[in-house]
Amino acid sequence: MSEHVSVTDHGPVRVIRMDRPEKKNALTGAMYEPMREALLSADADGSGIGAVLFAGGTGVFTAGNDLADFVAMAGRPFSESPPLRFIRQLARTRTPMVAAVDGIAVGIGTTLTLHCDLVYASPTARFRMPFVELGLVPEAASSYLLPRRVGTLRATEMLMLSEACDADTAVGLGLANAVIPADMLEEHAMAQAARLAALPRGALAATRRLIRGDQAEVEAALEAEAVAFDAQLRSAEAQDAFRAFFARGAARPKTDAAA
């Protein structure tokens, strides 16, 4: 268990909280494994968990991957990395998932929500996927899921140009269900998760499968992205982009997060 991730069960709702405020909840490799395990065990027969809620802290969901930690992982195949292990489980999880997004949701902070069944955002929520800026490609099947959610042209802006999306825009595009005041956000998301968990499990699971469509296509997109991501991660242009990012960070308060 990572000291920066807490997993707590509130009756049938499991809360997975990213808790690294000094780094804006930037995710390290060590943070991914307890989140993956929490999803996997939620799906286990007899777990008693009927919904999972992802949350961050006040004013920040997650700034994405901690790039310093991410670069350190580049020496081994991306196919074996903690981020990809988590992403695979995220796509396969059968338990309904809800996200409470307060503040920035960068990179995986946004792509994670594409796998959630309900997404609620505070007025300060800001979704951004700067993969191409960093010499990388999209992950978590976002190149497949996002165009189907918001349309190809808008997805191109968000994935290629790294255009940010505020809370109201996210609701308008169908990336979030509603904008909720920050002091009520988590309570509202928890209540909705509890509503899901209280529904007949078989009917809920069948309806969820029908809504989500072809699981094989999602996983195929995820794996194709992983191959391209691995190649780009090792590329000269990605290394140049990382160096430029760290150089910019040296001139301002550093978060080491973006992807």
Side-chain angles (χ1 to χ4, degrees):
M1 179 68 70
S2 167
E3 63 178 312
H4 298 304
V5 172
S6 67
V7 179
T8 55
D9 293 344
H10 302 260
V13 178
R14 173 163 294 174
V15 178
I16 300 175
R17 186 181 305 280
M18 296 164 283
D19 186 21
R20 196 187 178 207
E22 72 280 6
K23 291 288 188 177
K24 298 184 179 179
N25 293 343
L27 297 171
T28 64
M31 293 170 71
Y32 278 108
E33 190 60 17
M35 295 198 296
R36 185 192 70 82
E37 291 176 351
L39 292 177
L40 181 63
S41 61
D43 273 356
D45 291 340
S47 74
I49 301 300
V52 171
L53 172 63
F54 285 101
T58 302
V60 61
F61 188 60
T62 173
N65 282 303
D66 182 308
L67 278 190
D69 184 81
F70 200 74
V71 170
M73 289 190 288
R76 59 174 166 168
F78 184 64
S79 61
E80 301 171 8
S81 69
L84 186 56
R85 282 166 53 84
F86 167 74
I87 286 169
R88 284 174 172 148
Q89 181 57 48
L90 182 69
R92 295 168 183 165
T93 294
R94 300 186 306 275
T95 304
M97 296 178 286
V98 180
V101 181
D102 187 13
I104 58 172
V106 180
I108 185 66
T110 292
T111 60
L112 178 158
T113 68
L114 296 175
H115 294 272
C116 291
D117 301 276
L118 297 171
V119 179
Y120 298 98
S122 77
T124 62
R126 189 171 175 84
F127 302 84
R128 188 167 182 264
M129 294 170 286
F131 300 112
V132 174
E133 282 186 5
L134 292 168
L136 301 172
V137 301
E139 34 84 310
S142 55
S143 63
Y144 175 86
L145 294 171
L146 189 65
R148 284 156 180 76
R149 186 78 61 86
V150 305
T152 300
L153 293 178
R154 195 56 189 261
T156 297
E157 288 183 332
M158 297 181 73
L159 291 174
M160 290 188 180
L161 297 179
S162 307
E163 291 285 351
C165 175
D166 63 21
D168 288 329
T169 302
V171 171
L173 289 173
L175 292 174
N177 292 83
V179 180
I180 306 296
D183 60 351
M184 299 171 60
L185 174 66
E186 198 164 315
E187 179 183 358
H188 179 83
M190 176 69 80
Q192 296 299 88
R195 287 182 64 188
L196 289 173
L199 292 169
R201 297 288 172 86
L204 182 65
T207 301
R208 187 176 189 265
R209 287 194 298 270
L210 291 168
I211 290 171
R212 294 168 79 85
D214 193 330
Q215 177 71 14
E217 288 189 6
V218 173
E219 294 197 32
L222 188 157
E223 296 300 334
E225 288 173 350
V227 171
F229 197 103
D230 187 43
Q232 283 301 123
L233 185 60
R234 299 166 189 278
S235 70
E237 64 182 11
Q239 300 309 309
D240 288 344
F242 292 161
R243 282 192 288 271
F245 176 85
F246 290 127
R248 291 195 302 271
R252 64 175 185 268
K254 192 173 181 181
T255 65
D256 289 343

